Amino acid sequence: MKTVLIHGMVMSPAFWSCFAPGIVREGRAAAYPLPGHNPWKLDGVSGGLTTDAIVNAYAEAIERDFEGEPVTLIGHSTGGFISLLLARHRPDLVSNVILMGAFACGRFEGQERLASRILRLPLLGRHLFVRLFTRWIATRETFRGGSLQCVFDKTAGWETEETIAGMEQVREHLLKSQAAEIAAFVSWMSQTSVVDDLPLIDVPVLNIIGGRDAIVPPLHQIHLSGKLPRAHTIILDKVGHLPMAEARDKVDQLIATFLLFGPLTANRKKILTKEALSGSLRNALPLGA
């Protein structure tokens, strides 16, 4: 089994060292960064970031690390957005897509990401983004506080010595990133959409949605599934934006079933289970690095 994992915004590949699905660890896997996130340097690029350049960089990494064979993409949040772009533009490299808290455009229906709104402020937008980003990752406590905003049940017990150490490793990677380069990536993303292309993505997709996701509206995620020809959608109640942390055992089971047995049925388009409701990746990290 060959798997590529792509983390969410203001995270790092180290996130998956704790939260990668168990079945992924049994095969061959690599965790790639988002553009502008250490170790992917944009060399000061501000306005030259393009969809083609981003897709090509990931494609080159997959061709290098997996000899060009198709892989399963697992994308969380922004990583899901990138996974959909890859499935659309390089279907030859994608066998399945697994989404968690994902979106299909930089601006949601009725809600726009805070980072995008900040960057659109005239004159001070970029400066304010850099300042807030720097403050957020400055200490372990501030970073934990920001991360907890993604979790629905703050008492769910997902924090252990292992996950706390893993999130500190994420923060250390972010400290090596350039906030201005992450801002450039966010600006590109806010102007990019794959919504109209979703019906053309002809690979099996498992879309895991936290029913209480406060970061990416569940309704947007449901609409996303509705446009995908081969989507299988799971809504987990009392789960926020981090299903792999908040409902780890359940998510592991769902992903293992999907990967081992394929689509749950060949005769139905979708299954909805509600439990209540340089641009280079030369330094892409192997899983667990």
Side-chain angles (χ1 to χ4, degrees), residues 240-264:
H241 191 56
L242 298 176
M244 74 296 285
E246 300 174 70
R248 189 168 185 171
D249 291 344
K250 181 63 175 177
V251 168
D252 273 16
Q253 179 186 18
L254 291 169
I255 291 176
T257 300
F258 179 76
L259 292 179
L260 289 174
F261 302 107
L264 301 180

Side-chain angles (χ1 to χ4, degrees), residues 208-235:
I208 300 175
I209 301 172
R212 307 299 180 89
D213 192 331
I215 307 301
V216 179
L219 186 60
H220 173 87
Q221 300 180 55
I222 293 170
H223 287 169
L224 186 163
S225 279
K227 292 179 176 292
L228 289 165
R230 302 172 67 186
H232 301 264
T233 306
I234 309 294
I235 302 177

Side-chain angles (χ1 to χ4, degrees), residues 152-153 211-212 236-240 246:
F152 171 67
D153 184 357
R212 307 299 180 89
L236 301 177
D237 193 29
K238 298 182 181 179
V239 171
E246 300 174 70

Side-chain angles (χ1 to χ4, degrees), residues 1 3 5 16 18-29 74 244 248-249 251-256 259-260 287:
M1 187 174 299
T3 311
L5 302 105
W16 297 109
C18 294
F19 299 116
I23 191 173
V24 168
R25 302 176 188 275
E26 300 173 8
R28 184 176 177 182
I74 299 181
M244 74 296 285
R248 189 168 185 171
D249 291 344
V251 168
D252 273 16
Q253 179 186 18
L254 291 169
I255 291 176
L259 292 179
L260 289 174
L287 179 60

